[in-house]
Amino acid sequence: MDDNFLEFLANLLPPTWSRKPLTTEEKINENIKELRNVPWFQSLFASHMDIFIMNDYVRFSIGLQNVENLLKSKRKQKIFKEDLVHTLQKIRRSQQRKKKL
């Protein structure tokens, strides 16, 4: 392939090192810490602690949350809780299936 063409394509893409990450481990841990003050989250965390610690998808989705805004809105909390419960149940079922194999 023509080197000039590849160079042209590379120049179209923004450099990846300049992008800000969507979330960080620090943000994830900070959000979990804040959410652990909420009763409904406390019970979920207690019963699914292994998932909250090890599952990248769950951790990433928690890290993306603006917890301050989430805690101000009952509606946003309800939606987040329902999504989180659904995800946790799916992961738990998947873990149980793997154990049976």
Side-chain angles (χ1 to χ4, degrees), residues 84-98:
L84 186 57
V85 166
H86 177 74
T87 300
L88 292 169
Q89 289 172 343
K90 256 179 110 168
I91 293 168
R92 188 61 78 205
R93 282 192 303 267
S94 174
Q95 289 174 338
Q96 290 169 346
R97 272 188 247 118
K98 286 180 184 177

Side-chain angles (χ1 to χ4, degrees), residues 36-87:
R36 287 186 66 192
N37 294 319
V38 181
W40 63 261
F41 188 83
Q42 287 174 359
S43 64
L44 282 177
F45 188 83
S47 55
H48 300 284
M49 188 183 306
D50 59 325
I51 296 173
F52 283 104
I53 292 170
M54 300 301 292
N55 188 281
D56 290 335
Y57 178 80
V58 171
R59 293 183 61 75
F60 184 78
S61 63
I62 290 171
L64 292 177
Q65 298 302 312
N66 182 331
V67 174
E68 187 177 321
N69 287 341
L70 183 71
L71 296 179
K72 289 178 184 177
S73 169
K74 294 290 183 191
R75 184 182 69 76
K76 288 180 183 178
Q77 278 189 63
K78 181 180 183 287
I79 292 169
F80 177 68
K81 178 183 175 184
E82 288 172 354
D83 289 345
L84 186 57
V85 166
H86 177 74
T87 300

Side-chain angles (χ1 to χ4, degrees), residues 13-21:
L13 301 172
T16 56
W17 60 85
S18 68
R19 288 188 193 156
K20 182 180 175 186

